[in-house]
Amino acid sequence: MGDQAPPTLEQLARQRLLREEDLTISILEGLPVGLFQEMFQEAFNDRRTNILRAMVSAWPFPDLSVRSLIKDSDLETLKALLDGLDVLITDKVHPRRSKLRVLDLTGVDHDFWRIKAETHEDDCSPQAERQEQPVEVSPNSGVKKRFKVVIDLGLIKTRFNQCDWYLLQWAQQRNDSIHVCCRTLKLWDSPVFAAVQIFKMINLDCILELILSHWSLEFMVQLFPYLEQMRKLHTLELVGIREPLRSTASAEQEWISMLLSQISRFPCLQNLSVHHTYFLTGCLEKWLRCLKTPLKTLSIAGCRLSQSDLDYLSQCLNIRELNHLNLSGVELSDSCPKLLGVLLERISSTLQTLELEECEMRDCHFNAILPSLSQCSQLTVVSFCNNNISLSVLKNLLRHTAKLSKLIYEKYPAPLECYEGLRILKDKFELLCPEMLDIIRAERQPKKVSFCTRTCLNCFHCCFYNLEVRLFCLCP
Ligand SMILES: [Zn+2]
Ligand SMILES: [Zn+2]
């Protein structure tokens, strides 16, 4: 709006430097360290590949971390970064001030980029990549590698994205100097041979997070010899695992046992997600019993759980330190309402996020969890959308959550009073929402709170109400 502050002298200097590439590259060696970080960010945003290349090879910190903005279209930017590293590898010119050892291309950070000059949460080799020391001992070759490139990889069927593939090829050709450190690996409905091809290109003991999506059980078991080598895995996500096409019941049972035994062999597993997967029903106890360490996250979404599963869940020791619980899409309508209350009570001192969307919960379930919910004083996120709750019970729920002072994000279902058969009573919804917000406001100022109806079966939209936005279904 024209009221922006005028650029500072430093910004003007940086802009000038970016425009004059040759000049900038020639003075990089003498550039004050404090200017590097912001210059790099601006060069990155402007895709000044020549400057990026030169800055990487003159980088005055041990780590350079770039959030994964490098999508397919940014192959040129990635090439520039790797070319910069190439200068250091070949030692043709070793810029005096370069301290770079780790190039981090993962998307784990929420900031656009950062420099980890002091702290380092590296799980692969805690002290190794400081200063001039080699970064990694490769488990396969015993060779110490000088540089590490940290990445997340995803394979969809047989396809990599262009950047990932380029990077893997590039690193293969520099196998003596580069350690590719893959932190998150996602394999989406891939053939076994393609998965094995990647396993052979990376160190499996660097992987912290593995997501297997839309695999068929009989093919998934063929990956187990490799999974065994993922000794640092802390997060396992299984999504949409399919029944085998042709198999006997006994073979299938054996594969499931193999899977459980595999899971029991991850010594650091803390986060387990099983979504839309058919074989959890009736054997949750086996799954949770086999874990070596207590879980921090348990997410079971879109799965069917039996009464005995829920029974076990409410007693399970391996979830006593749970931070995150998601049971969205697990039908609880016929379950004993008390179980959920018992479960919450057991984890009340550690629980931070609770997601119970589309669980077919009724008033009796909400009433049963209220006493223990009040004790969950660490909760920052709750989500109860798409459940069946009456206005009076919803108000009571809000009186309880209003007292949870750490909540920053809360989602509630519209009460049953907002429906007439399949029709959503929009006026009623609009009228009730402010009233419900006031219940929270009586105790604290909500940060992010929303109320939502089910999807209207006429127009396929829902009604939504939060502090800023009001949306209504399209029906007249
Ligand atoms: Zn590594
Ligand atoms: Zn509608």
Side-chain angles (χ1 to χ4, degrees):
M1 306 279 173
D3 57 355
Q4 279 183 339
T8 62
L9 210 55
E10 194 185 306
Q11 282 168 333
L12 288 172
R14 278 203 309 271
Q15 285 162 12
R16 167 95 199 274
L17 283 170
L18 283 176
R19 278 197 305 272
E20 304 202 21
E21 288 194 350
D22 292 344
L23 171 71
T24 308
I25 291 167
S26 70
I27 62 162
L28 270 183
E29 285 283 301
L31 196 71
V33 168
L35 278 182
F36 259 76
Q37 313 182 356
E38 296 198 345
M39 277 272 294
F40 184 87
Q41 184 172 351
E42 283 178 25
F44 196 99
N45 288 340
D46 286 2
R47 296 212 176 109
R48 304 269 178 179
T49 48
N50 291 332
I51 294 183
L52 283 177
R53 185 179 305 116
M55 289 195 87
V56 168
S57 46
W59 196 248
F61 307 97
D63 304 315
L64 170 55
S65 179
V66 181
R67 212 185 108 177
S68 59
L69 285 182
I70 307 173
K71 302 275 167 9
D72 264 8
S73 55
D74 291 327
L75 184 60
E76 291 313 310
T77 309
L78 176 70
K79 281 182 180 171
L81 299 178
L82 298 182
D83 284 351
L85 210 49
D86 253 340
V87 173
L88 300 176
I89 293 169
T90 51
D91 267 335
K92 269 187 223 140
V93 196
H94 194 97
R96 222 168 1 96
R97 69 195 305 184
S98 171
K99 292 200 172 67
L100 186 62
R101 289 293 170 269
V102 181
L103 177 61
D104 187 344
L105 302 171
T106 59
V108 288
D109 268 37
H110 297 292
D111 296 320
F112 160 60
W113 72 298
R114 79 199 146 126
I115 292 149
K116 299 181 288 178
E118 294 304 323
T119 57
H120 207 276
E121 332 148 11
D122 196 306
D123 305 87
C124 293
S125 55
Q127 287 301 313
E129 55 272 63
R130 285 277 146 309
Q131 307 297 316
E132 298 303 314
Q133 293 162 11
V135 295
E136 191 99 7
V137 178
S138 159
N140 303 327
S141 61
V143 175
K144 295 195 172 191
K145 305 196 177 186
R146 287 171 56 203
F147 302 99
K148 171 153 91 176
V149 179
V150 190
I151 49 166
D152 296 332
L153 286 175
L155 181 70
I156 298 177
K157 293 186 185 278
T158 54
R159 282 194 317 278
F160 268 116
N161 84 38
Q162 203 184 1
C163 283
D164 288 348
W165 187 243
Y166 180 85
L167 175 73
L168 286 172
Q169 298 290 317
W170 176 90
Q172 285 258 296
Q173 289 155 15
R174 292 151 186 81
N175 198 25
D176 292 344
S177 333
I178 296 287
H179 166 69
V180 176
C181 196
C182 173
R183 296 305 177 86
T184 299
L185 178 62
K186 180 170 184 177
L187 301 171
W188 197 91
D189 193 16
S190 311
V192 175
F193 80 87
V196 170
Q197 189 186 15
I198 302 175
F199 292 157
K200 289 182 173 165
M201 291 169 103
I202 55 181
N203 286 326
L204 296 173
D205 62 351
C206 295
I207 295 177
L208 305 178
E209 192 174 346
L210 176 69
I211 300 152
L212 295 174
S213 189
H214 295 84
W215 279 71
S216 171
L217 183 63
E218 82 249 57
F219 297 124
M220 199 167 78
V221 293
Q222 297 181 43
L223 306 181
F224 292 169
Y226 300 93
L227 266 52
E228 227 162 74
Q229 298 169 49
M230 301 180 184
R231 306 290 299 165
K232 295 206 181 76
L233 197 79
H234 64 49
T235 300
L236 176 65
E237 246 184 85
L238 302 175
V239 184
I241 305 302
R242 297 187 300 264
E243 267 175 275
L245 282 177
R246 292 174 297 276
S247 76
T248 60
S250 64
E252 188 180 348
Q253 274 317 309
E254 190 182 335
W255 290 332
I256 293 172
S257 307
M258 283 165 74
L259 172 63
L260 294 178
S261 126
Q262 178 54 58
I263 288 175
S264 74
R265 267 177 272 160
F266 294 124
C268 323
L269 192 70
Q270 290 190 325
N271 309 301
L272 178 65
S273 297
V274 186
H275 293 182
H276 304 283
T277 290
Y278 76 98
F279 50 68
L280 200 61
T281 317
C283 57
L284 188 63
E285 179 172 352
K286 283 188 193 160
W287 281 71
L288 296 179
R289 234 186 237 291
C290 76
L291 299 170
K292 284 283 181 295
T293 47
L295 288 178
K296 295 262 183 257
T297 305
L298 177 63
S299 181
I300 298 173
C303 298
R304 225 161 48 76
L305 291 187
S306 67
Q307 187 68 28
S308 66
D309 290 328
L310 288 164
D311 237 333
Y312 180 73
L313 191 60
S314 67
Q315 307 300 328
C316 174
L317 282 178
N318 270 332
I319 60 163
R320 62 185 183 273
E321 294 165 19
L322 213 59
N323 296 145
H324 310 285
L325 175 65
N326 177 17
L327 292 176
S328 293
V330 173
E331 204 177 302
L332 299 171
S333 54
D334 294 330
S335 72
C336 167
K338 273 193 205 144
L339 290 179
L340 206 53
V342 175
L343 169 62
L344 282 188
E345 195 178 335
R346 290 183 67 97
I347 53 178
S348 58
S349 62
T350 52
L351 195 66
Q352 292 167 21
T353 66
L354 174 63
E355 291 178 70
L356 293 170
E357 291 191 11
E358 278 185 83
C359 293
E360 297 289 329
M361 287 167 72
R362 292 177 281 127
D363 280 353
C364 57
H365 298 95
F366 283 104
N367 283 330
I369 62 169
L370 286 182
S372 36
L373 191 65
S374 311
Q375 295 169 31
C376 298
S377 56
Q378 303 304 312
L379 273 176
T380 56
V381 176
V382 291
S383 179
F384 300 110
C385 283
N386 287 323
N387 284 295
N388 303 313
I389 190 168
S390 68
L391 181 59
S392 64
V393 175
L394 177 59
K395 283 183 174 173
N396 204 12
L397 171 65
L398 292 166
R399 276 181 217 114
H400 282 76
T401 54
K403 294 205 170 69
L404 298 172
S405 60
K406 292 194 175 166
L407 275 186
I408 45 176
Y409 193 33
E410 35 198 327
K411 286 162 79 181
Y412 301 100
L416 292 169
E417 281 77 356
C418 292
Y419 302 92
E420 193 178 71
L422 294 178
R423 207 160 67 86
I424 298 171
L425 306 174
K426 292 190 277 188
D427 295 344
K428 183 102 184 206
F429 178 71
E430 195 177 10
L431 195 74
L432 286 176
C433 285
E435 202 183 308
M436 295 195 275
L437 275 179
D438 285 343
I439 298 177
I440 302 175
R441 285 199 182 112
E443 295 287 341
R444 63 177 160 84
Q445 201 50 43
K447 294 192 176 68
K448 257 182 151 182
V449 54
S450 62
F451 296 90
C452 191
T453 67
R454 291 183 181 278
T455 305
C456 168
L457 293 177
N458 270 330
C459 67
F460 301 106
H461 285 74
C462 63
C463 301
F464 178 85
Y465 190 105
N466 71 11
L467 297 172
E468 295 98 31
V469 184
R470 276 106 232 231
L471 295 170
F472 297 97
C473 94
L474 308 177
C475 296

PDB file of all heavy atoms in Angstrom, residues 9 39 47 50 79 111 115 128 131 155 191 212 218 225 230 239 274 281 339 351 353 360 383 410 416 421 425 428 459:
ATOM      1  N   LEU A   9      20.337   0.442   3.901  1.00  0.00           N
ATOM      2  CA  LEU A   9      21.573   0.544   3.138  1.00  0.00           C
ATOM      3  C   LEU A   9      22.100  -0.857   2.805  1.00  0.00           C
ATOM      4  O   LEU A   9      22.573  -1.122   1.702  1.00  0.00           O
ATOM      5  CB  LEU A   9      22.603   1.313   3.983  1.00  0.00           C
ATOM      6  CG  LEU A   9      23.629   2.137   3.209  1.00  0.00           C
ATOM      7  CD1 LEU A   9      22.929   3.112   2.271  1.00  0.00           C
ATOM      8  CD2 LEU A   9      24.524   2.895   4.179  1.00  0.00           C
ATOM      9  N   MET A  39      22.298 -12.831   1.597  1.00  0.00           N
ATOM     10  CA  MET A  39      22.650 -12.819   0.172  1.00  0.00           C
ATOM     11  C   MET A  39      22.250 -14.125  -0.488  1.00  0.00           C
ATOM     12  O   MET A  39      21.740 -14.158  -1.596  1.00  0.00           O
ATOM     13  CB  MET A  39      24.175 -12.666   0.022  1.00  0.00           C
ATOM     14  CG  MET A  39      24.686 -11.253   0.102  1.00  0.00           C
ATOM     15  SD  MET A  39      24.667 -10.450  -1.505  1.00  0.00           S
ATOM     16  CE  MET A  39      25.897 -11.401  -2.399  1.00  0.00           C
ATOM     17  N   ARG A  47      16.970 -16.985  -8.299  1.00  0.00           N
ATOM     18  CA  ARG A  47      17.599 -18.020  -9.148  1.00  0.00           C
ATOM     19  C   ARG A  47      18.862 -17.500  -9.830  1.00  0.00           C
ATOM     20  O   ARG A  47      19.062 -17.693 -11.032  1.00  0.00           O
ATOM     21  CB  ARG A  47      16.616 -18.512 -10.198  1.00  0.00           C
ATOM     22  CG  ARG A  47      15.412 -19.196  -9.575  1.00  0.00           C
ATOM     23  CD  ARG A  47      14.913 -20.289 -10.492  1.00  0.00           C
ATOM     24  NE  ARG A  47      13.825 -21.012  -9.871  1.00  0.00           N
ATOM     25  CZ  ARG A  47      12.556 -20.934 -10.255  1.00  0.00           C
ATOM     26  NH1 ARG A  47      12.220 -20.180 -11.274  1.00  0.00           N
ATOM     27  NH2 ARG A  47      11.627 -21.637  -9.647  1.00  0.00           N
ATOM     28  N   ASN A  50      24.689 -18.486 -10.956  1.00  0.00           N
ATOM     29  CA  ASN A  50      26.153 -18.283 -10.918  1.00  0.00           C
ATOM     30  C   ASN A  50      26.608 -17.876  -9.523  1.00  0.00           C
ATOM     31  O   ASN A  50      27.621 -18.363  -9.016  1.00  0.00           O
ATOM     32  CB  ASN A  50      26.570 -17.194 -11.923  1.00  0.00           C
ATOM     33  CG  ASN A  50      26.385 -17.689 -13.346  1.00  0.00           C
ATOM     34  OD1 ASN A  50      26.455 -18.897 -13.590  1.00  0.00           O
ATOM     35  ND2 ASN A  50      26.096 -16.785 -14.269  1.00  0.00           N
ATOM     36  N   LYS A  79      21.287 -27.866  -9.590  1.00  0.00           N
ATOM     37  CA  LYS A  79      22.567 -28.086 -10.284  1.00  0.00           C
ATOM     38  C   LYS A  79      23.600 -27.076  -9.818  1.00  0.00           C
ATOM     39  O   LYS A  79      24.770 -27.407  -9.618  1.00  0.00           O
ATOM     40  CB  LYS A  79      22.376 -27.955 -11.805  1.00  0.00           C
ATOM     41  CG  LYS A  79      21.775 -29.188 -12.452  1.00  0.00           C
ATOM     42  CD  LYS A  79      21.675 -28.979 -13.956  1.00  0.00           C
ATOM     43  CE  LYS A  79      21.071 -30.194 -14.636  1.00  0.00           C
ATOM     44  NZ  LYS A  79      20.779 -29.932 -16.050  1.00  0.00           N
ATOM     45  N   ASP A 111      11.151 -22.754   8.572  1.00  0.00           N
ATOM     46  CA  ASP A 111      11.709 -21.530   8.027  1.00  0.00           C
ATOM     47  C   ASP A 111      12.197 -21.824   6.623  1.00  0.00           C
ATOM     48  O   ASP A 111      12.495 -22.961   6.296  1.00  0.00           O
ATOM     49  CB  ASP A 111      12.899 -21.073   8.859  1.00  0.00           C
ATOM     50  CG  ASP A 111      12.457 -20.712  10.255  1.00  0.00           C
ATOM     51  OD1 ASP A 111      11.380 -20.107  10.369  1.00  0.00           O
ATOM     52  OD2 ASP A 111      13.164 -21.071  11.192  1.00  0.00           O
ATOM     53  N   ILE A 115      20.778 -21.867   9.000  1.00  0.00           N
ATOM     54  CA  ILE A 115      22.162 -22.304   9.094  1.00  0.00           C
ATOM     55  C   ILE A 115      22.367 -22.870  10.470  1.00  0.00           C
ATOM     56  O   ILE A 115      22.096 -22.217  11.467  1.00  0.00           O
ATOM     57  CB  ILE A 115      23.112 -21.136   8.868  1.00  0.00           C
ATOM     58  CG1 ILE A 115      22.991 -20.706   7.413  1.00  0.00           C
ATOM     59  CG2 ILE A 115      24.536 -21.528   9.176  1.00  0.00           C
ATOM     60  CD1 ILE A 115      23.237 -19.278   7.238  1.00  0.00           C
ATOM     61  N   ALA A 128      30.967 -35.826  13.696  1.00  0.00           N
ATOM     62  CA  ALA A 128      31.913 -36.072  12.615  1.00  0.00           C
ATOM     63  C   ALA A 128      32.064 -34.946  11.597  1.00  0.00           C
ATOM     64  O   ALA A 128      33.153 -34.702  11.117  1.00  0.00           O
ATOM     65  CB  ALA A 128      31.539 -37.349  11.898  1.00  0.00           C
ATOM     66  N   GLN A 131      33.959 -28.944  10.978  1.00  0.00           N
ATOM     67  CA  GLN A 131      35.175 -28.413  10.394  1.00  0.00           C
ATOM     68  C   GLN A 131      35.763 -29.309   9.309  1.00  0.00           C
ATOM     69  O   GLN A 131      35.071 -29.726   8.420  1.00  0.00           O
ATOM     70  CB  GLN A 131      36.192 -28.156  11.510  1.00  0.00           C
ATOM     71  CG  GLN A 131      35.617 -27.293  12.636  1.00  0.00           C
ATOM     72  CD  GLN A 131      35.229 -25.900  12.176  1.00  0.00           C
ATOM     73  OE1 GLN A 131      35.960 -25.268  11.445  1.00  0.00           O
ATOM     74  NE2 GLN A 131      34.071 -25.407  12.566  1.00  0.00           N
ATOM     75  N   LEU A 155       9.282 -41.973  -4.141  1.00  0.00           N
ATOM     76  CA  LEU A 155       9.160 -42.710  -5.403  1.00  0.00           C
ATOM     77  C   LEU A 155       7.685 -43.044  -5.601  1.00  0.00           C
ATOM     78  O   LEU A 155       7.071 -43.695  -4.757  1.00  0.00           O
ATOM     79  CB  LEU A 155       9.987 -43.993  -5.322  1.00  0.00           C
ATOM     80  CG  LEU A 155      10.007 -44.878  -6.561  1.00  0.00           C
ATOM     81  CD1 LEU A 155      10.792 -44.205  -7.687  1.00  0.00           C
ATOM     82  CD2 LEU A 155      10.650 -46.225  -6.246  1.00  0.00           C
ATOM     83  N   PRO A 191       6.981 -50.952  -7.767  1.00  0.00           N
ATOM     84  CA  PRO A 191       7.368 -52.358  -7.908  1.00  0.00           C
ATOM     85  C   PRO A 191       8.591 -52.639  -7.028  1.00  0.00           C
ATOM     86  O   PRO A 191       9.380 -51.725  -6.760  1.00  0.00           O
ATOM     87  CB  PRO A 191       7.723 -52.496  -9.393  1.00  0.00           C
ATOM     88  CG  PRO A 191       7.808 -51.125  -9.932  1.00  0.00           C
ATOM     89  CD  PRO A 191       7.189 -50.163  -8.975  1.00  0.00           C
ATOM     90  N   LEU A 212       5.248 -46.331   3.500  1.00  0.00           N
ATOM     91  CA  LEU A 212       4.896 -47.299   2.463  1.00  0.00           C
ATOM     92  C   LEU A 212       3.414 -47.123   2.167  1.00  0.00           C
ATOM     93  O   LEU A 212       2.565 -47.372   3.015  1.00  0.00           O
ATOM     94  CB  LEU A 212       5.171 -48.726   2.937  1.00  0.00           C
ATOM     95  CG  LEU A 212       6.638 -49.070   3.204  1.00  0.00           C
ATOM     96  CD1 LEU A 212       6.763 -50.463   3.801  1.00  0.00           C
ATOM     97  CD2 LEU A 212       7.454 -48.966   1.920  1.00  0.00           C
ATOM     98  N   GLU A 218       1.823 -58.914  -0.193  1.00  0.00           N
ATOM     99  CA  GLU A 218       2.780 -59.934  -0.645  1.00  0.00           C
ATOM    100  C   GLU A 218       4.058 -59.324  -1.222  1.00  0.00           C
ATOM    101  O   GLU A 218       5.121 -59.932  -1.181  1.00  0.00           O
ATOM    102  CB  GLU A 218       2.130 -60.909  -1.634  1.00  0.00           C
ATOM    103  CG  GLU A 218       2.039 -60.435  -3.075  1.00  0.00           C
ATOM    104  CD  GLU A 218       0.607 -60.164  -3.491  1.00  0.00           C
ATOM    105  OE1 GLU A 218      -0.051 -59.327  -2.820  1.00  0.00           O
ATOM    106  OE2 GLU A 218       0.147 -60.750  -4.474  1.00  0.00           O
ATOM    107  N   PRO A 225      14.071 -57.657   4.174  1.00  0.00           N
ATOM    108  CA  PRO A 225      15.522 -57.762   4.387  1.00  0.00           C
ATOM    109  C   PRO A 225      16.202 -56.390   4.387  1.00  0.00           C
ATOM    110  O   PRO A 225      17.213 -56.185   5.045  1.00  0.00           O
ATOM    111  CB  PRO A 225      15.998 -58.600   3.198  1.00  0.00           C
ATOM    112  CG  PRO A 225      14.794 -59.345   2.753  1.00  0.00           C
ATOM    113  CD  PRO A 225      13.612 -58.482   3.052  1.00  0.00           C
ATOM    114  N   MET A 230      17.328 -50.656   8.606  1.00  0.00           N
ATOM    115  CA  MET A 230      16.985 -49.278   8.983  1.00  0.00           C
ATOM    116  C   MET A 230      16.965 -49.175  10.498  1.00  0.00           C
ATOM    117  O   MET A 230      15.930 -49.076  11.133  1.00  0.00           O
ATOM    118  CB  MET A 230      15.633 -48.888   8.383  1.00  0.00           C
ATOM    119  CG  MET A 230      15.604 -48.971   6.882  1.00  0.00           C
ATOM    120  SD  MET A 230      14.000 -48.515   6.204  1.00  0.00           S
ATOM    121  CE  MET A 230      14.277 -48.829   4.454  1.00  0.00           C
ATOM    122  N   VAL A 239       0.161 -46.988   4.656  1.00  0.00           N
ATOM    123  CA  VAL A 239      -1.078 -46.390   4.168  1.00  0.00           C
ATOM    124  C   VAL A 239      -1.683 -47.275   3.083  1.00  0.00           C
ATOM    125  O   VAL A 239      -1.003 -47.643   2.124  1.00  0.00           O
ATOM    126  CB  VAL A 239      -0.813 -44.981   3.565  1.00  0.00           C
ATOM    127  CG1 VAL A 239      -2.124 -44.323   3.148  1.00  0.00           C
ATOM    128  CG2 VAL A 239      -0.069 -44.104   4.545  1.00  0.00           C
ATOM    129  N   VAL A 274      -0.939 -46.269  10.906  1.00  0.00           N
ATOM    130  CA  VAL A 274      -1.495 -47.301  10.027  1.00  0.00           C
ATOM    131  C   VAL A 274      -2.833 -46.760   9.543  1.00  0.00           C
ATOM    132  O   VAL A 274      -3.764 -46.590  10.330  1.00  0.00           O
ATOM    133  CB  VAL A 274      -1.697 -48.632  10.778  1.00  0.00           C
ATOM    134  CG1 VAL A 274      -2.140 -49.711   9.805  1.00  0.00           C
ATOM    135  CG2 VAL A 274      -0.405 -49.064  11.467  1.00  0.00           C
ATOM    136  N   THR A 281      -7.555 -55.041  12.102  1.00  0.00           N
ATOM    137  CA  THR A 281      -8.739 -55.432  12.869  1.00  0.00           C
ATOM    138  C   THR A 281      -8.518 -56.721  13.650  1.00  0.00           C
ATOM    139  O   THR A 281      -8.115 -57.732  13.079  1.00  0.00           O
ATOM    140  CB  THR A 281      -9.938 -55.640  11.909  1.00  0.00           C
ATOM    141  OG1 THR A 281      -9.936 -54.589  10.965  1.00  0.00           O
ATOM    142  CG2 THR A 281     -11.253 -55.669  12.673  1.00  0.00           C
ATOM    143  N   LEU A 339     -14.338 -46.855  27.384  1.00  0.00           N
ATOM    144  CA  LEU A 339     -12.967 -47.201  26.983  1.00  0.00           C
ATOM    145  C   LEU A 339     -12.159 -45.980  26.569  1.00  0.00           C
ATOM    146  O   LEU A 339     -10.986 -45.839  26.928  1.00  0.00           O
ATOM    147  CB  LEU A 339     -13.000 -48.206  25.822  1.00  0.00           C
ATOM    148  CG  LEU A 339     -13.473 -49.615  26.168  1.00  0.00           C
ATOM    149  CD1 LEU A 339     -13.469 -50.491  24.931  1.00  0.00           C
ATOM    150  CD2 LEU A 339     -12.583 -50.207  27.254  1.00  0.00           C
ATOM    151  N   LEU A 351      -0.371 -36.082  26.461  1.00  0.00           N
ATOM    152  CA  LEU A 351      -1.058 -35.898  25.174  1.00  0.00           C
ATOM    153  C   LEU A 351      -1.078 -34.438  24.713  1.00  0.00           C
ATOM    154  O   LEU A 351      -1.485 -33.547  25.456  1.00  0.00           O
ATOM    155  CB  LEU A 351      -2.498 -36.413  25.276  1.00  0.00           C
ATOM    156  CG  LEU A 351      -3.204 -36.608  23.936  1.00  0.00           C
ATOM    157  CD1 LEU A 351      -2.550 -37.722  23.135  1.00  0.00           C
ATOM    158  CD2 LEU A 351      -4.685 -36.912  24.134  1.00  0.00           C
ATOM    159  N   THR A 353      -1.802 -33.702  20.982  1.00  0.00           N
ATOM    160  CA  THR A 353      -2.816 -33.559  19.931  1.00  0.00           C
ATOM    161  C   THR A 353      -3.752 -34.764  19.950  1.00  0.00           C
ATOM    162  O   THR A 353      -3.324 -35.906  20.118  1.00  0.00           O
ATOM    163  CB  THR A 353      -2.207 -33.422  18.514  1.00  0.00           C
ATOM    164  OG1 THR A 353      -1.561 -34.637  18.175  1.00  0.00           O
ATOM    165  CG2 THR A 353      -1.189 -32.307  18.431  1.00  0.00           C
ATOM    166  N   GLU A 360     -18.013 -41.443  14.361  1.00  0.00           N
ATOM    167  CA  GLU A 360     -19.395 -41.818  14.701  1.00  0.00           C
ATOM    168  C   GLU A 360     -19.607 -41.784  16.211  1.00  0.00           C
ATOM    169  O   GLU A 360     -20.348 -42.596  16.764  1.00  0.00           O
ATOM    170  CB  GLU A 360     -19.735 -43.217  14.148  1.00  0.00           C
ATOM    171  CG  GLU A 360     -19.703 -43.323  12.627  1.00  0.00           C
ATOM    172  CD  GLU A 360     -20.863 -42.583  11.955  1.00  0.00           C
ATOM    173  OE1 GLU A 360     -21.944 -42.502  12.551  1.00  0.00           O
ATOM    174  OE2 GLU A 360     -20.650 -42.054  10.839  1.00  0.00           O
ATOM    175  N   SER A 383      -9.507 -32.174  17.650  1.00  0.00           N
ATOM    176  CA  SER A 383     -10.376 -32.170  16.489  1.00  0.00           C
ATOM    177  C   SER A 383     -11.446 -33.244  16.647  1.00  0.00           C
ATOM    178  O   SER A 383     -11.134 -34.423  16.788  1.00  0.00           O
ATOM    179  CB  SER A 383      -9.516 -32.432  15.250  1.00  0.00           C
ATOM    180  OG  SER A 383     -10.340 -32.449  14.138  1.00  0.00           O
ATOM    181  N   GLU A 410      -8.481 -25.841  17.531  1.00  0.00           N
ATOM    182  CA  GLU A 410      -9.578 -26.699  17.966  1.00  0.00           C
ATOM    183  C   GLU A 410     -10.683 -26.744  16.913  1.00  0.00           C
ATOM    184  O   GLU A 410     -11.043 -25.733  16.333  1.00  0.00           O
ATOM    185  CB  GLU A 410     -10.123 -26.222  19.321  1.00  0.00           C
ATOM    186  CG  GLU A 410     -10.097 -24.720  19.470  1.00  0.00           C
ATOM    187  CD  GLU A 410     -10.207 -24.215  20.921  1.00  0.00           C
ATOM    188  OE1 GLU A 410     -10.876 -24.864  21.732  1.00  0.00           O
ATOM    189  OE2 GLU A 410      -9.651 -23.145  21.195  1.00  0.00           O
ATOM    190  N   LEU A 416     -26.246 -31.665  16.409  1.00  0.00           N
ATOM    191  CA  LEU A 416     -27.328 -32.322  15.663  1.00  0.00           C
ATOM    192  C   LEU A 416     -28.492 -31.380  15.394  1.00  0.00           C
ATOM    193  O   LEU A 416     -29.222 -31.538  14.412  1.00  0.00           O
ATOM    194  CB  LEU A 416     -27.819 -33.541  16.453  1.00  0.00           C
ATOM    195  CG  LEU A 416     -26.808 -34.685  16.563  1.00  0.00           C
ATOM    196  CD1 LEU A 416     -27.277 -35.728  17.580  1.00  0.00           C
ATOM    197  CD2 LEU A 416     -26.583 -35.322  15.197  1.00  0.00           C
ATOM    198  N   GLY A 421     -33.121 -33.953   9.022  1.00  0.00           N
ATOM    199  CA  GLY A 421     -32.911 -35.045   8.070  1.00  0.00           C
ATOM    200  C   GLY A 421     -31.544 -34.849   7.434  1.00  0.00           C
ATOM    201  O   GLY A 421     -30.549 -34.672   8.126  1.00  0.00           O
ATOM    202  N   LEU A 425     -29.362 -26.917   8.471  1.00  0.00           N
ATOM    203  CA  LEU A 425     -30.075 -25.680   8.805  1.00  0.00           C
ATOM    204  C   LEU A 425     -29.051 -24.562   8.961  1.00  0.00           C
ATOM    205  O   LEU A 425     -28.489 -24.346  10.031  1.00  0.00           O
ATOM    206  CB  LEU A 425     -30.887 -25.869  10.093  1.00  0.00           C
ATOM    207  CG  LEU A 425     -31.848 -27.061  10.088  1.00  0.00           C
ATOM    208  CD1 LEU A 425     -32.495 -27.253  11.447  1.00  0.00           C
ATOM    209  CD2 LEU A 425     -32.930 -26.867   9.009  1.00  0.00           C
ATOM    210  N   LYS A 428     -29.602 -21.706  11.528  1.00  0.00           N
ATOM    211  CA  LYS A 428     -29.399 -22.173  12.898  1.00  0.00           C
ATOM    212  C   LYS A 428     -27.898 -22.270  13.203  1.00  0.00           C
ATOM    213  O   LYS A 428     -27.425 -21.855  14.264  1.00  0.00           O
ATOM    214  CB  LYS A 428     -30.050 -23.558  13.018  1.00  0.00           C
ATOM    215  CG  LYS A 428     -30.013 -24.166  14.374  1.00  0.00           C
ATOM    216  CD  LYS A 428     -31.361 -24.030  15.050  1.00  0.00           C
ATOM    217  CE  LYS A 428     -31.318 -24.545  16.458  1.00  0.00           C
ATOM    218  NZ  LYS A 428     -32.607 -24.995  16.930  1.00  0.00           N
ATOM    219  N   CYS A 459     -25.360 -30.634  -2.220  1.00  0.00           N
ATOM    220  CA  CYS A 459     -24.428 -29.791  -2.990  1.00  0.00           C
ATOM    221  C   CYS A 459     -22.966 -30.161  -2.745  1.00  0.00           C
ATOM    222  O   CYS A 459     -22.070 -29.586  -3.337  1.00  0.00           O
ATOM    223  CB  CYS A 459     -24.659 -28.327  -2.660  1.00  0.00           C
ATOM    224  SG  CYS A 459     -24.223 -27.925  -0.958  1.00  0.00           S
TER     225      CYS A 459
END
